[in-house]
Amino acid sequence: MSTLESFIWHALGYAAMPVIILSGFAVVAAVSLWFLSLSKDKEL
């Protein structure tokens, strides 16, 4: 593997980690908010 290919794969790998972590956090937050909205008191 050339140096350029190695650099590209390392850059993609390091860029993917925060994307995976942040998207997972966003999905968990959205599901939690949806679940909490189901159980909240509907009367105002």
Side-chain angles (χ1 to χ4, degrees), residues 18-42:
V19 170
I20 292 168
I21 292 169
L22 291 175
S23 61
F25 175 79
V27 168
V28 170
V31 170
S32 298
L33 288 173
W34 171 76
F35 185 72
L36 287 171
S37 72
L38 292 178
S39 62
K40 74 173 187 170
D41 189 8
K42 304 290 187 196

Side-chain angles (χ1 to χ4, degrees), residues 2-23:
S2 71
T3 305
L4 179 59
E5 285 176 311
S6 179
F7 173 76
I8 290 171
W9 282 114
H10 280 89
L12 287 173
Y14 286 121
M17 284 183 249
V19 170
I20 292 168
I21 292 169
L22 291 175
S23 61

